[in-house]
Amino acid sequence: MTTLDLTPDTATDAGAGTAIPGPATPYQDDIARYWDQEARPVNLRLGDVDGLYHHHYGIGDVDVAALGAPGDSEREKKVITELHRLESAQADVLLDHLGDVPRDGMLVDAGCGRGGSMVMAHQRFGCRVEGVTLSAKQADFANQRVRQLGIDAYVRSQVCNMLDMPFETGQAAASWNNESSMYVDLHDLFAEHSRVLSVGGRYVTITGCWNPVYGQPSKWVSQINAHFECNIHSRREYLRAMADNRLVPQAVIDLTAATLPYWELRATSSLVTGIEEAFLNSYRDGSFQYLLIAADRV
Ligand SMILES: C[S@@+](CC[C@H](N)C(=O)[O-])C[C@H]1O[C@@H](n2cnc3c(N)ncnc32)[C@H](O)[C@@H]1O
């Protein structure tokens, strides 16, 4: 499979018929620009493996046998395939926590990137999946991909601020943020998820967060913030903002140990982006955690 043609199309907000709120602040304009320009090989070459394009990290043990012997002429390709497998495994774990989603239910992917998790969600549940991203390039890419797959009647990306989503109150059976909650105020974010979710609906996030036990954000966490132009929240802030917005944690899972093998492998590949050391050091010194939180909307 080859990288998709990114020619812009007009389907970004197809069928909406109403003005959709785009970036609401100069900061959100910056983030939209960042993701419009983002074309790191580490994201695109991994997505090319099977057409699921992710902008998140991986979890699980590395299959050492799948990498071939040291010096294997195909090693780089095998490392890419393995990193991609771990990233899809991460999305699978998120989907595992959505609960039973009926085929006529609707799912919301807030900060959907190039749409890999949305495609996986539709393939698993057979239902409608709505994604929002600040980036028109990402939305076009995701919409083009689902057209190629013939599932565009079910899966759609829109350019939209996830703090002001174009969905009716109580409409969603479940919603999630996969590594996208560090771009917004958590109270505003969870108030909006709480609004679009039905009572009894499930919210799931997988995110990096700083560990209050460490004290304050470490220098590594500050480096990650600067690299991605984001604002990593603490574990405490997540739980507090959920409690304030009718989201009651049903599971809090520390995925830090499960993501380390991914980072160790990624640091050895030719696709390094320079931020690997900050992730490895902050996970190892306990200042940063990779967390899944699943919460019920009550
Ligand atoms: C690290 S990427 C994650 C993409 C995707 N969830 C995945 O797992 O591949 C962060 C995403 O958050 C989106 N984002 C950040 N702030 C947003 C906002 N206020 N509204 C909508 N999307 C936002 C970006 O446009 C980008 O798509």
Side-chain angles (χ1 to χ4, degrees), residues 27-28 31-32 35 53-57 90 109-117 132-135 138 158 160-163 176-184 228:
Y27 170 75
Q28 290 190 0
I31 298 307
W35 288 105
Y53 290 84
H54 302 304
H55 283 284
H56 59 243
Y57 307 125
Q90 187 263 33
D109 183 349
C112 62
R114 284 190 163 96
S117 303
V132 299
T133 168
L134 290 176
S135 160
Q138 287 188 330
Q158 302 183 66
C160 169
N161 173 12
M162 63 184 158
L163 303 181
W176 71 85
N177 286 98
N178 197 349
E179 293 185 17
S180 53
S181 49
M182 58 291 285
Y183 295 96
V184 288
F228 292 105

Side-chain angles (χ1 to χ4, degrees), residues 180-203:
S180 53
S181 49
M182 58 291 285
Y183 295 96
V184 288
D185 178 275
L186 290 182
H187 277 84
D188 296 345
L189 178 68
F190 295 150
E192 183 62 350
H193 278 284
S194 200
R195 184 189 68 75
V196 302
L197 280 167
S198 57
V199 173
R202 177 62 58 79
Y203 170 76

Side-chain angles (χ1 to χ4, degrees), residues 3-24:
T3 305
L4 294 178
D5 173 15
L6 285 178
T7 313
D9 67 26
T10 52
T12 299
D13 59 353
T18 51
I20 294 174

Side-chain angles (χ1 to χ4, degrees), residues 61-297:
D61 290 336
V62 170
D63 179 355
V64 178
L67 301 178
D72 185 328
S73 61
E74 296 278 283
R75 182 163 171 100
E76 188 60 22
K77 203 170 144 203
K78 290 176 178 172
V79 168
I80 287 170
T81 302
E82 185 61 5
L83 289 171
H84 181 65
R85 185 183 70 79
L86 299 176
E87 291 187 1
S88 289
Q90 187 263 33
D92 264 328
V93 168
L94 188 155
L95 299 180
D96 287 345
H97 286 85
L98 292 183
D100 294 327
V101 179
R103 287 184 78 83
D104 62 354
M106 191 271 261
L107 298 175
V108 173
D109 183 349
C112 62
R114 284 190 163 96
S117 303
M118 290 201 292
V119 171
M120 290 175 65
H122 172 72
Q123 288 170 342
R124 183 186 290 217
F125 301 111
C127 67
R128 217 178 110 205
V129 190
E130 294 278 355
V132 299
T133 168
L134 290 176
S135 160
K137 281 259 174 62
Q138 287 188 330
D140 287 339
F141 188 103
N143 286 330
Q144 189 174 332
R145 181 74 195 118
V146 296
R147 273 199 299 278
Q148 288 174 346
L149 291 170
I151 56 172
D152 50 316
Y154 295 93
V155 183
R156 173 176 65 164
S157 297
Q158 302 183 66
V159 178
C160 169
N161 173 12
M162 63 184 158
L163 303 181
D164 193 6
M165 295 191 275
F167 310 125
E168 281 170 30
T169 299
Q171 198 186 357
S175 62
W176 71 85
N177 286 98
N178 197 349
E179 293 185 17
S180 53
S181 49
M182 58 291 285
Y183 295 96
V184 288
D185 178 275
L186 290 182
H187 277 84
D188 296 345
L189 178 68
F190 295 150
E192 183 62 350
H193 278 284
S194 200
R195 184 189 68 75
V196 302
L197 280 167
S198 57
V199 173
R202 177 62 58 79
Y203 170 76
V204 180
T205 183
I206 294 186
T207 185
C209 60
W210 63 266
N211 186 358
V213 174
Y214 185 85
Q216 285 289 318
S218 66
K219 63 184 172 190
W220 308 117
V221 170
S222 300
Q223 266 182 32
I224 297 168
N225 276 336
H227 184 89
F228 292 105
E229 301 178 35
C230 65
N231 174 32
I232 291 164
H233 307 289
S234 70
R235 175 158 48 102
R236 183 184 193 178
E237 289 172 87
Y238 275 94
L239 297 175
R240 182 182 287 157
M242 283 186 184
D244 288 347
N245 287 285
R246 304 180 66 166
L247 294 171
V248 178
Q250 187 268 348
V252 181
I253 303 174
D254 186 351
L255 297 171
T256 309
T259 196
L260 268 169
Y262 167 90
W263 285 99
E264 283 158 359
L265 179 62
R266 179 170 152 154
T268 68
S269 86
S270 69
L271 302 177
V272 286
T273 59
I275 199 62
E276 286 76 12
E277 195 194 354
F279 276 88
L280 284 165
N281 288 336
S282 58
Y283 284 143
R284 287 178 181 147
D285 73 10
S287 61
F288 192 45
Q289 295 178 299
Y290 198 48
L291 218 65
L292 179 148
I293 309 175
D296 291 322
R297 162 70 161 92

